[in-house]
Amino acid sequence: MSAASALSSVVLTRDIYHGLPTFSEDKKGLTVVVTGANGISGSHMVGNGLPSEFYYILPLWTVFTLIDTPIQIRVLAESPERWTKIYALSRRPTPFTLPPQVQHISVDFLSSPSDIASALKSAGVTHIDHVFFFTYAQPDPPEGEPIWSNNDELIHVNMALLCNFCEALSPSEANLLPERILLQLGAKYYGVHLGPAATPMEESDPRVNLQPNFYYEQEDYLMDFCAKHGVGWSTTRPSHILGAVPDNAMNLVFPLAAYASVQRYLGKPLEFTSDLAAWENPVSLSSAQMIGYLSEWMVLTPSARDESFNAVDDCAFSFGKFWPRFANRFGVDWKGPDVSKSVEWQEIETASDSTPRGFGPKATLRFKFTLAEWAKRPEVKKAWAKLAEKYDLRVKEFWDVDRVFGFTDFGLAMPFACHLRLVFHLSLLFPFLFYPRFCTGRESQMVIFCTNPMKLADTSLMYSTSKQKQLGFFGFVDSYASLFKVMEEFAEMKMIPPLP
């Protein structure tokens, strides 16, 4: 490239976040809507603090109060001249103290578009420049089934949330069409919940059509809606999202922090729950605040209009590298994956006969034990009760254990191994037993034996970030530092004991 055609970018560092974009001074006085404002991504987009006399209702009606913390100036609130008005939308009242330019609006997106439009008008919303749609609902799975097994309801509910909100903005309702609508999707876009996907995962990868996927339906609807009304669209695809919020039904970090806190109290080591493949394989993680910086850049960058981007930390990470640091941060010993031949694994094989990458064997998630099982042990529940009393924790007992801790179990085991179990008919090894003159009538029974699983390959949850770099976004955060920062924030919320 010649010197005349060379381009330069000015980037910033904010706390642990590096390579952040800068914007021209003419981008100011903007009004934005952030939906799902109580969730991990939404709250980190808006900025928040926690009030002292607020009762927040979690699944199973667990009630706790939150303490005073300083307002955390997050992505949009860091630039008050650029984002002069921020509407934070959620169904429940917010548990957060919000920055001065943020107005919370309680609205149920499962109500009609007309009702949503009325709620926006009643709150004084007269103009919107951009929308960040982070709303997501996770329906309960059938008893004993994996977290995402209720696929029909997952599609129905999440499509309704997006469609009702978008239609409320249309000219026939509130007439509040923005310049851009950004929709957050996720790793299920690549079919990782169904088995091994091709890695690294790239935005240009074909869709995985092994079963209906609500992300595809949401994206198709958004594209059609935006094309109809002359609005730009953007979508992000994060991995496991790191962030501290009160409701942790799908939070990788809270169960890890609770596990370490109890093991420290009991004087026991941090034992890794899964196998060597999960320990060693690389994983891309997504810090909620970095998702916010990318999302802001996307809506303010013309070349990012009508495009999808992976939203990850761009940090080389593995649980094997994390685990010793994790134990050291809590001042306890640690044990890596059990590599002995005598270990009895709990194994879950991915259900689909085909794989998202289109070839090769299924994947096997392997557990020596699960955090969901661990959280139900009497000595663990007793230890947590003691810690909750000693430190006046807001979480007095673990709630919705299978879902909250089960999500982290899945996350720890997801960098899984692909195994082939060889199955033989006895006639292949001992054909003389099945010659006609030796037949006894029993040869029609399928007499088989199986070898131990033979590992063919490992598969990782590794994202490509080439596309965003080519267009000028160079954001980076150390996922290890981010994990510990989230744990410290959970401690500030009094959801876990203080870190040592």
Side-chain angles (χ1 to χ4, degrees):
M1 178 181 290
S2 67
S5 61
L7 299 176
S8 63
S9 299
V10 177
V11 296
L12 298 176
T13 288
R14 295 183 186 273
D15 192 23
I16 62 173
Y17 306 96
H18 308 284
L20 303 179
T22 56
F23 304 98
S24 63
E25 293 183 358
D26 64 335
K27 296 186 185 299
K28 60 183 179 180
L30 300 175
T31 297
V32 64
V33 165
V34 179
T35 79
N38 288 344
I40 299 179
S41 298
S43 65
H44 285 75
M45 196 76 191
V46 170
N48 59 66
L50 297 173
S52 57
E53 295 183 357
F54 188 91
Y55 291 84
Y56 194 84
I57 300 177
L58 286 169
L60 302 187
W61 308 103
T62 301
V63 180
F64 61 92
T65 59
L66 298 176
I67 63 170
D68 281 316
T69 61
I71 292 178
Q72 300 289 327
I73 302 301
R74 309 285 192 183
V75 178
L76 299 180
E78 289 173 348
S79 303
E81 292 86 11
R82 183 180 308 133
W83 305 103
T84 54
K85 187 65 177 182
I86 303 169
Y87 294 105
L89 276 57
S90 63
R91 180 171 60 87
R92 295 171 177 167
T94 179
F96 303 121
T97 300
L98 300 172
Q101 70 269 44
V102 180
Q103 178 182 340
H104 181 265
I105 304 174
S106 292
V107 57
D108 184 358
F109 289 173
L110 293 180
S111 59
S112 69
S114 295
D115 288 344
I116 297 170
S118 295
L120 295 175
K121 291 178 180 178
S122 298
V125 183
T126 59
H127 172 75
I128 301 172
D129 290 296
H130 302 288
V131 170
F132 297 96
F133 192 92
F134 296 123
T135 301
Y136 171 83
Q138 177 62 53
D140 292 334
E143 184 70 27
E145 294 296 320
I147 187 170
W148 293 302
S149 59
N150 196 351
N151 196 51
D152 290 343
E153 187 63 15
L154 194 67
I155 294 171
H156 172 74
V157 171
N158 285 284
M159 279 296 291
L161 294 171
L162 177 64
C163 295
N164 291 341
F165 171 74
C166 288
E167 296 303 328
L169 304 182
S170 66
S172 61
E173 296 291 350
N175 195 23
L176 291 170
L177 291 173
E179 180 181 335
R180 190 86 64 88
I181 300 176
L182 181 142
L183 168 66
Q184 178 171 283
L185 305 175
K188 291 189 290 296
Y189 194 98
Y190 295 111
V192 298
H193 57 307
L194 302 175
T199 56
M201 299 170 197
E202 299 177 322
E203 295 90 342
S204 58
D205 288 349
R207 288 180 172 182
V208 177
N209 294 310
L210 299 179
Q211 69 176 34
N213 189 320
F214 81 94
Y215 284 149
Y216 303 160
E217 299 203 23
Q218 281 191 318
E219 188 175 59
D220 288 344
Y221 167 80
L222 181 63
M223 290 178 180
D224 290 343
F225 177 87
C226 290
K228 178 180 178 181
H229 296 289
V231 175
W233 62 267
S234 301
T235 61
T236 57
R237 303 176 192 174
S239 178
H240 298 304
I241 300 177
L242 310 181
V245 289
D247 188 348
N248 288 282
M250 294 184 67
N251 193 310
L252 184 74
V253 185
F254 174 79
L256 289 174
Y259 176 49
S261 299
V262 170
Q263 293 299 90
R264 173 180 168 82
Y265 179 84
L266 295 174
K268 295 182 177 181
L270 293 182
E271 185 173 1
F272 190 65
T273 60
S274 192
D275 63 1
L276 185 61
W279 177 266
E280 291 189 331
N281 283 348
V283 180
S284 293
L285 298 178
S286 300
S287 297
Q289 193 151 333
M290 184 54 73
I291 296 172
Y293 288 126
L294 173 66
S295 299
E296 179 187 34
W297 172 84
M298 288 170 65
V299 302
L300 295 178
T301 302
S303 59
R305 178 186 169 115
D306 299 346
E307 296 285 351
S308 298
F309 290 89
N310 289 334
V312 293
D313 292 346
D314 200 22
C315 172
F317 177 92
S318 72
F319 287 112
K321 290 288 188 177
F322 168 69
W323 213 254
R325 305 180 200 190
F326 181 31
N328 182 65
R329 184 65 181 83
F330 280 81
V332 297
D333 294 331
W334 60 274
K335 291 183 179 180
D338 194 329
V339 294
S340 66
K341 294 182 179 180
S342 60
V343 62
E344 295 184 4
W345 296 104
Q346 303 175 43
E347 295 188 347
I348 301 176
E349 190 177 64
T350 49
S352 177
D353 290 332
S354 301
T355 65
R357 66 182 168 205
F359 63 91
K362 300 179 182 182
T364 304
L365 282 71
R366 306 175 79 193
F367 305 93
K368 186 175 181 181
F369 68 98
T370 67
L371 292 179
E373 295 168 353
W374 170 86
K376 297 175 184 177
R377 295 174 186 173
E379 67 272 19
V380 169
K381 293 192 289 185
K382 183 177 179 180
W384 185 262
K386 293 286 188 180
L387 290 169
E389 180 181 8
K390 180 178 180 179
Y391 295 105
D392 191 27
L393 299 184
R394 273 48 193 175
V395 180
K396 303 301 183 184
E397 61 183 31
F398 296 143
W399 72 95
D400 204 1
V401 168
D402 288 333
R403 184 161 67 156
V404 173
F405 286 82
F407 180 80
T408 298
D409 284 324
F410 185 80
L412 290 175
M414 264 193 79
F416 31 55
C418 302
H419 293 86
L420 178 64
R421 192 182 297 271
L422 300 181
V423 181
F424 296 95
H425 193 284
L426 285 179
S427 62
L428 297 178
L429 293 184
F430 306 106
F432 65 89
L433 292 177
F434 295 88
Y435 287 171
R437 64 177 183 273
F438 294 112
C439 286
T440 64
R442 288 180 291 181
E443 73 280 3
S444 62
Q445 301 174 17
M446 287 298 292
V447 182
I448 60 175
F449 76 93
C450 301
T451 68
N452 289 327
M454 178 175 66
K455 188 172 80 170
L456 295 183
D458 296 334
T459 185
S460 63
L461 191 65
M462 179 58 68
Y463 281 60
S464 168
T465 56
S466 296
K467 180 178 178 180
Q468 59 190 241
K469 292 187 179 75
Q470 290 169 359
L471 292 180
F473 183 84
F474 305 101
F476 158 81
V477 60
D478 185 310
S479 296
Y480 302 97
S482 182
L483 277 159
F484 294 129
K485 183 178 178 67
V486 171
M487 292 180 186
E488 290 165 0
E489 291 176 353
F490 273 131
E492 291 175 3
M493 293 178 179
K494 283 201 166 186
M495 291 187 67
I496 63 169
L499 272 65

